[in-house]
Amino acid sequence: MFRVLRILCVTMLLRCPACQRGQMFRTLFQMNVRCPVCGVVFERDAGEVTGAMAINTALMSIMAIAGAALAIVTDFPAGWIIGGTAVVMVLFGVFFYRHARAVWVGILFLTGAIFEDV
Ligand SMILES: [Zn+2]
């Protein structure tokens, strides 16, 4: 359990889950194909980015539900709540994108789908 938390924390810091030193991203939105330190391939198969999209979508859905609950519970104007929730969701989706991809790589690493080549 401690290993799982450690790997997920390391990937949230955008570091390689295998060596925990290499940076996963070379630019704001471009992931390295391989870890610059240990050489592990981060996304072996095409389409593995969809896991990160699922993480982002799930978290944004929770935000939408929280926004709807806020609109029901409070007396705030619904238009402001809808607009504010939409802005927060878009900003979160953009800024959390790298972390969602990195966490997904960490999950793949924990399940054995990402491994060091020997
Ligand atoms: Zn590495």
Side-chain angles (χ1 to χ4, degrees), residues 16-22 35-40 42:
C16 170
C19 68
Q20 302 176 10
R21 289 181 289 143
C35 173
V37 175
C38 68
V40 73
F42 291 131

Side-chain angles (χ1 to χ4, degrees), residues 45-111:
D45 296 323
E48 286 185 346
V49 72
T50 54
M53 292 168 59
I55 291 172
N56 246 359
T57 303
L59 293 175
M60 287 195 292
S61 298
I62 291 170
M63 287 181 191
I65 291 169
L70 195 66
I72 292 170
V73 172
T74 65
D75 292 334
F76 249 47
W80 281 99
I81 292 175
I82 292 170
T85 303
V87 168
V88 168
M89 286 173 61
V90 168
L91 291 176
F92 177 83
V94 170
F95 288 111
F96 195 73
Y97 169 76
R98 296 189 323 158
H99 298 281
R101 271 184 85 176
V103 166
W104 183 247
V105 168
I107 291 169
L108 291 174
F109 179 76
L110 288 169
T111 59

